[in-house]
Each structure stands twice: as structure tokens, then as C-alpha cells.
Amino acid sequence: MSLSNLEEVSVESVLLEEPAASVVPATPADVPTRSYHPYSWSVANRVLDVVDTLTGGRAGMLQRLSSYVVIGGVAAVVNLIVYSIVYHFVPVPGPDAVHLVVAFLCATEISIMANFIPNDYFTFRHVAGARQRSWLQRCLRFQLTCISGSALTALIQFSLVYLVHVWPLFAQASALIIVLFYNFTVHHLFTYRHVKTEKTL
């Protein structure tokens, strides 16, 4: 076969080939984006995909809120147990108000740590900028947020006990439920806020 025949065959085969555009691989833009961090269970991810579609990309926020509520519920139980033990079984000299304050402070600090450790690892782990600060910095910011929440909890609790005359344990439980959502919002805006410039406490 002559050189000219080879050239003709090559040109003809090129013209008869399928266009390259028909086999273009998927680009990152073609891959659906998710606002949430995927679980290892496909069923849960499909549910979150539906939630993402229905809420306009807010499944990640609802995922974090669900995790925060579950962990916060466990921490609230810890709070109530410690509060009950200190208030009912630990003798504290002075009037009943002092006993309430001591029980409140003990229960608050223990429940804060019971809240921070799992939330730092699970709930806020994948928030943008969550790992820009050290563990100690995150813990201190978490504590600061919870102190403001604790002040609000104390205000609600003592108002219910001394103004409305509600049973102390019920007053504490009511205050914890209200402040749960307050703390979640402030943790999002302050504790784990993304830092664009320098790291600050």
C-alpha cells in the first residue's frame, strides 16, 4: 500500500469516528453539591438529599441541629441528675437559695463539658473554620457561649421558682429547653465562626 493510500485511510477513519464531545466525562459542576456531610448510610443520605431539595440547601443546618439537640438532650439529663444529687443529697449550709445556687453551678459546669466534647467532635466538626482554632480555644469559646446561656437559664429558672412558684426541677428543665436553641445559634455565630484573617480567642 502506497503512502498516499495510507493518508486517505487515516483521513477517512478520522472523519467516521464519533465526536469526542459525546464521551466528555462529568465535570465537578455536573456533580450535585450537598450542604450536609454525608453519612455512611445511603438511606440517611437520600433523606437528606430530599431535605436539601425541599429547604433550598439547608439540610446541613438541620443535620447539625438534630445532632445538637440529641447531644444537648443527653447533657440536659446529666445536668438534671447532678442538680438533683447536689440539691437533695449534698448538705449546703445557709438558706435554700444558696443551696439552689450551688446545685445550679455544679450541674451547669458538668453539663457544659458533657455538651462540648461530643458536639465539638460530631456536630460542628465539618463547619467551615471549625478547626482553625485549637481544642482549648474552642473549649473556651464554648464555655463563654454557655456562660451567657447559663445566665439566661438562671434568670428563667429563678423567675419560675420565686415568681411563679414552680417546682425547682421543672423550672430547671424548662429553662434548659429554651436555652438549648439559644446556645445552638450562638455557637454557630461565635464559637465555630469562620476566621478569614488571624486566629483570635
Side-chain angles (χ1 to χ4, degrees):
M1 185 179 285
S2 65
L3 181 61
S4 60
N5 290 337
L6 282 176
E7 289 177 353
E8 287 179 13
V9 171
S10 300
V11 171
E12 185 178 1
S13 63
V14 168
L15 292 175
L16 292 176
E17 284 180 358
E18 289 290 326
S22 62
V23 287
V24 174
T27 62
D30 299 327
V31 179
T33 57
R34 291 169 164 169
S35 69
Y36 62 90
H37 182 73
Y39 292 115
S40 56
W41 312 292
S42 59
V43 175
N45 293 330
R46 282 198 292 269
V47 171
L48 286 170
D49 283 335
V50 172
V51 172
D52 231 358
T53 302
L54 295 176
T55 61
R58 292 181 176 84
M61 179 69 73
L62 294 176
Q63 181 187 40
R64 287 189 292 276
L65 178 60
S66 301
S67 174
Y68 186 79
V69 168
V70 171
I71 294 171
V74 173
V77 172
V78 171
N79 185 295
L80 294 175
I81 291 172
V82 174
Y83 183 86
S84 297
I85 291 172
V86 175
Y87 184 72
H88 293 291
F89 301 105
V90 177
V92 175
D96 188 59
V98 174
H99 204 166
L100 276 174
V101 170
V102 171
F104 173 81
L105 292 175
C106 292
T108 297
E109 182 55 33
I110 292 174
S111 66
I112 285 175
M113 292 309 296
N115 226 326
F116 167 68
I117 294 171
N119 271 311
D120 185 69
Y121 186 79
F122 295 108
T123 306
F124 299 105
R125 182 178 186 176
H126 301 286
V127 173
R131 290 296 182 267
Q132 285 182 308
R133 301 177 180 89
S134 67
W135 186 92
L136 181 59
Q137 288 175 320
R138 297 195 305 272
C139 184
L140 290 175
R141 291 173 77 91
F142 200 96
Q143 290 272 349
L144 288 174
T145 300
C146 289
I147 286 171
S148 66
S150 297
L152 182 58
T153 303
L155 178 63
I156 295 171
Q157 180 202 1
F158 288 108
S159 296
L160 289 175
V161 171
Y162 291 106
L163 298 179
V164 189
H165 305 294
V166 172
W167 183 41
L169 192 59
F170 179 78
Q172 177 79 349
S174 301
L176 288 172
I177 293 171
I178 295 170
V179 174
L180 178 76
F181 296 100
Y182 164 82
N183 280 344
F184 175 77
T185 303
V186 179
H187 285 315
H188 229 86
L189 299 176
F190 171 70
T191 308
Y192 295 96
R193 180 176 58 85
H194 179 68
V195 179
K196 294 183 179 179
T197 54
E198 60 181 5
K199 298 179 181 180
T200 56
L201 260 180

